[in-house]
Amino acid sequence: MSRYPSSDIDLAFVVPDEVAAGDVLATLHGAAGDLLVASDLFDVYRGTGVPEGSRSLAYRLRFCALDRTLTDAEVGERRAACIAAVEKAHRSALRA
């Protein structure tokens, strides 16, 4: 447990139905690196705004360091890496 504050980000992706939510989570873990301390799938949505044959998967990622408060730039870099990895690996797109 760190004495420094954590930073949470939420990311939602439009993902083809055949892609498992666990596979997306594994990709997020690989891209997030060692500062990721928790992750959860918190929403699955099908409906208006999501193409047929796809669904929206929303994840909450918590980043924290044991030795310092993370900067906005550090969290932003991890966020960008996660988005790029999921989009590339799973033919998905960040949901606006």
Side-chain angles (χ1 to χ4, degrees):
M1 180 175 238
S2 177
R3 63 184 177 128
Y4 296 96
S6 62
S7 295
D8 291 1
I9 61 169
D10 294 344
L11 297 173
F13 297 96
V14 176
V15 179
D17 282 336
E18 65 269 10
V19 175
D23 291 346
V24 175
L25 187 59
T27 300
L28 288 168
H29 277 247
D34 61 342
L35 297 177
L36 183 67
V37 295
S39 60
D40 294 299
L41 173 67
F42 70 88
D43 187 52
V44 178
Y45 173 76
R46 289 180 175 84
T48 305
V50 177
E52 187 72 29
S54 297
R55 67 201 187 286
S56 172
L57 301 176
Y59 297 87
R60 178 160 296 130
L61 307 176
R62 176 167 288 166
F63 295 93
C64 191
L66 295 175
D67 60 344
R68 68 190 184 288
T69 299
L70 297 175
T71 65
D72 289 342
E74 287 176 300
V75 175
E77 288 172 9
R78 301 297 172 118
R79 180 183 184 277
C82 287
I83 293 167
V86 171
E87 287 180 340
K88 181 178 179 182
H90 303 293
R91 301 180 338 259
S92 64
L94 186 67
R95 186 167 179 219

